């Protein structure tokens, strides 16, 4: 009985060690839904006097993102990602219309796959790229605000695989910064320098699919030929 248990454990270890959820030349596509919550800082300065003010607040959005990652090494993957965000905002008190606050984050991805067996793929990494902001307030003045800037995040992403298909979870710390906000009012743009930044955390759920299989080594091919 003990020998049977030991044989089972050894077989399981061997099976998990040589069956990899991520590997060199793997191509993984994923799509996920998420929520970002930011602690924000809004800075503006009057160009004529140099007087400036900083206010702190919070902001949150719901988002959809998709990405593609390629295994350049057995544990190292690089790729690209796009994330579409819509911020939560209450209706304007006068018009009764809800604001339409959106942003688009586009980035390069680098992941280190610390744990990878047949079932579990645990990746640690970062995304870095740009972001475009579009705020439509739907107020009586029809105010609109635009911005472009930096997006960066650190993240931890475990995937649970069933053959090539996986469920994934995502925990991260995102940072976004827009250094020069502009509006649809020329006078504001000429007189005020405005900046907005956010640092917070995110949570996501999604699915993934791995397309390519590991390539056989030259030595394996030689043995097979012989």
């Amino acid at each position: 009985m003990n020998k049977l248990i030991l044989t089972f454990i050894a077989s399981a270890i061997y099976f998990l060690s040589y069956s990899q959820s991520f590997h060199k030349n793997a191509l993984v596509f994923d799509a996920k839904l998420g929520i970002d919550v930011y602690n924000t800082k809004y800075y503006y300065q009057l160009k004529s006097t140099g007087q400036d003010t900083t206010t702190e607040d919070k902001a949150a959005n719901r988002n959809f993102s998709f990405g593609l990652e390629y295994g350049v090494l057995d544990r190292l993957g690089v790729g690209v990602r796009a994330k579409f965000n819509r911020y939560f905002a209450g209706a304007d008190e006068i018009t009764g219309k809800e604001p339409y606050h959106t942003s688009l984050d586009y980035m390069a991805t680098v992941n280190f796959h610390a744990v990878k067996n047949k079932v579990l793929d645990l990746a640690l990494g970062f995304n870095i790229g740009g972001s475009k902001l579009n705020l439509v307030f739907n107020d009586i003045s029809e105010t609109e605000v635009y911005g472009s800037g930096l997006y960066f995040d650190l993240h931890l992403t475990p995937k649970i695989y069933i053959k090539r298909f996986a469920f994934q979870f995502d925990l991260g710390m995102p940072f976004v910064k827009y250094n020069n906000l502009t509006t649809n009012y020329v006078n504001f743009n000429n007189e005020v320098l405005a900046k907005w930044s956010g640092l917070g955390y995110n949570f996501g759920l999604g699915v993934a699919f791995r397309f390519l299989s590991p390539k056989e080594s030259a030595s394996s091919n030689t043995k097979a030929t012989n």
Side-chain angles (χ1 to χ4, degrees):
M1 185 67 177
N2 291 335
K3 289 184 178 180
L4 181 61
I5 294 173
L6 291 174
T7 301
F8 175 78
I9 293 173
S11 300
I13 293 172
Y14 178 87
F15 180 69
L16 291 176
S17 299
Y18 288 89
S19 299
Q20 299 180 358
S21 52
F22 187 85
H23 51 80
K24 185 178 180 180
N25 301 310
L27 184 65
V28 181
F29 173 82
D30 75 87
K32 66 180 180 181
L33 299 173
I35 293 178
D36 296 353
V37 179
Y38 288 102
N39 294 310
T40 66
K41 290 184 178 181
Y42 174 61
Y43 168 90
Y44 65 93
Q45 181 186 73
L46 298 178
K47 295 180 181 179
S48 58
T49 64
Q51 180 182 356
D52 59 4
T53 303
T54 300
T55 60
E56 297 184 3
D57 203 349
K58 293 185 179 294
N61 68 55
R62 57 187 182 273
N63 55 71
F64 168 75
S65 67
F66 61 88
L68 195 64
E69 181 184 1
Y70 180 73
V72 293
L73 296 173
D74 201 39
R75 292 186 181 271
L76 181 66
V78 299
V80 292
R81 185 164 211 87
K83 183 158 72 77
F84 304 87
N85 314 290
R86 180 164 182 179
Y87 284 86
F88 298 101
D92 184 82
E93 293 181 358
I94 297 176
T95 65
K97 297 180 180 179
E98 288 190 1
Y100 187 69
H101 296 343
T102 63
S103 65
L104 167 63
D105 307 324
Y106 48 93
M107 62 208 80
T109 300
V110 178
N111 284 327
F112 174 73
H113 296 260
V115 179
K116 57 185 189 67
N117 53 48
K118 182 177 177 63
V119 176
L120 176 63
D121 174 23
L122 179 62
L124 303 91
F126 65 88
N127 294 312
I128 185 168
S131 181
K132 289 188 177 296
L133 182 70
N134 184 29
L135 308 180
V136 179
F137 286 85
N138 283 327
D139 56 7
I140 194 170
S141 302
E142 298 182 347
T143 306
E144 297 182 11
V145 177
Y146 322 103
S148 59
L150 170 71
Y151 178 89
F152 176 81
D153 75 44
L154 299 172
H155 57 260
L156 173 69
T157 306
K159 292 185 177 74
I160 307 299
Y161 271 89
I162 303 173
K163 295 185 178 180
R164 292 180 177 271
F165 178 82
F167 294 99
Q168 76 173 43
F169 310 91
D170 199 70
L171 295 172
M173 181 181 292
F175 172 76
V176 64
K177 185 174 185 179
Y178 307 98
N179 276 329
N180 188 15
L181 297 178
T182 59
T183 74
N184 53 337
Y185 296 107
V186 176
N187 289 340
F188 179 92
N189 299 335
N190 292 335
E191 298 173 4
V192 178
L193 173 64
K195 301 179 182 181
W196 187 86
S197 63
L199 174 64
Y201 55 90
N202 62 27
F203 174 75
L205 296 171
V207 294
F209 189 84
R210 186 181 66 247
F211 285 96
L212 301 180
S213 300
K215 292 183 178 180
E216 295 183 1
S217 65
S219 59
S220 298
N221 291 335
T222 302
K223 290 179 181 179
T225 305
N226 294 337

